Amino acid sequence: MLSTAYRPGSPDWLDLTSPDTAASVAFYTAVFDWTYASAGPEAGGYGFFQQDGRTVAALGPFTDSHARPAWTVYFRTLDADRTTELVREAGGLVRFPPFNVFTSGRMAGYTDPTGADFAVWQPHDVRGLDTVTEPGSLCWTECHSVDAEAAKSFYRTVFAWQEQDVPIGEARYTVLTPAGGGTEDAHGGIMQLSPEHTATGTASHWLPYFEVPDVDARLATAERLGATVRIPATDVHGVGRLGRLVDPHGAVFAVITSPPPGT
């Protein structure tokens, strides 16, 4: 499970790029009961989704004409410049090179060889999200790839993640754990996009999951506010009850109610 211990290679930040930040604030604060705080005029429209005063995600406007609405998962690195070298060596694309964010940290953005965008955060004053795993916060990250084997090879080189393959019906799901972590430190997974998805143009992407107390209620609220439900509330044995959505601008995300510990 995710934790704010933030081992190298684990998710430590999450933000949404939106063509209409005011509309996205209205949507997500209603769906998750979040509040929103601007990072200030010098931050170019960037701000923070918060729960009880603790940051659970962030939001920013489009910064170029090629941007698209999307949630971006950031993974912790101790050296963003070295990670950038590894991304290039492994065949990834550097979307933007490392740069300092005031005194908060250092970040860089990439695209893996199968087309999924992601980023890294090297912490300085800001270690990462204040809260994960609790209701209303990020609890899992999942790479849906047009070539899962190529994706695994890439991330293995960049982050040295540990992998465990788990069968799901006829498919295979790879559970990811930071280097040196135990089973309880698993933070996400990689799975192959089905031929049906690729035939309809679904591209590789990282999907964030938010823990919620009631999946059905959150799906209903999101749909009423203009979201599209891609996967309705579904029970998955040993995982929980989950659903997948597309927000009103096209960013995909998922919600889940995990089973109580020990069940």
Side-chain angles (χ1 to χ4, degrees), residues 13 21 25 29 35-50 55 57-61 102:
W13 195 256
T21 54
V25 166
T29 55
T35 57
Y36 177 76
S38 169
E42 71 280 3
Y46 200 80
F48 309 108
F49 288 118
Q50 296 183 325
T55 297
L59 167 70
F102 307 111

Side-chain angles (χ1 to χ4, degrees), residues 41-103:
E42 71 280 3
Y46 200 80
F48 309 108
F49 288 118
Q50 296 183 325
Q51 182 171 262
D52 299 326
R54 298 178 296 175
T55 297
V56 294
L59 167 70
F62 283 0
T63 56
D64 62 66
S65 60
H66 302 292
R68 58 185 178 84
W71 283 100
T72 299
V73 178
Y74 292 66
F75 300 96
R76 178 168 181 165
T77 180
L78 300 179
D79 186 340
D81 296 273
R82 176 55 182 155
T83 300
T84 299
E85 293 175 0
L86 291 172
V87 166
R88 289 195 175 107
E89 291 171 9
L93 171 70
V94 178
R95 291 185 294 115
F96 55 88
F99 68 93
N100 292 326
V101 183
F102 307 111
T103 61

Side-chain angles (χ1 to χ4, degrees), residues 48 100-106 121-128:
F48 309 108
N100 292 326
V101 183
F102 307 111
T103 61
S104 298
R106 190 163 172 80
W121 180 252
Q122 178 184 337
H124 293 161
D125 293 345
V126 176
R127 294 183 62 253

Side-chain angles (χ1 to χ4, degrees), residues 133-202:
T133 303
E134 297 180 9
S137 67
L138 180 70
C139 66
W140 192 252
T141 60
E142 200 167 76
C143 181
H144 294 245
S145 179
V146 297
D147 188 338
E149 291 304 314
K152 285 192 286 185
S153 176
F154 170 80
Y155 291 108
R156 198 180 301 131
T157 297
V158 174
F159 294 120
W161 286 337
Q162 300 169 167
E163 305 168 4
Q164 180 181 5
D165 288 338
V166 178
I168 301 179
E170 297 182 358
R172 182 173 59 179
Y173 188 93
T174 301
V175 176
L176 305 169
T177 305
T183 305
E184 69 280 0
D185 298 314
H187 65 259
I190 294 178
M191 63 185 302
Q192 178 73 37
L193 281 167
S194 69
E196 292 78 11
H197 284 107
T198 55
T200 58
T202 301

Side-chain angles (χ1 to χ4, degrees), residues 223-240:
E223 193 167 30
R224 176 173 56 80
L225 294 172
T228 301
V229 176
R230 282 262 182 90
I231 297 179
T234 304
D235 291 312
V236 178
H237 179 70
V239 174

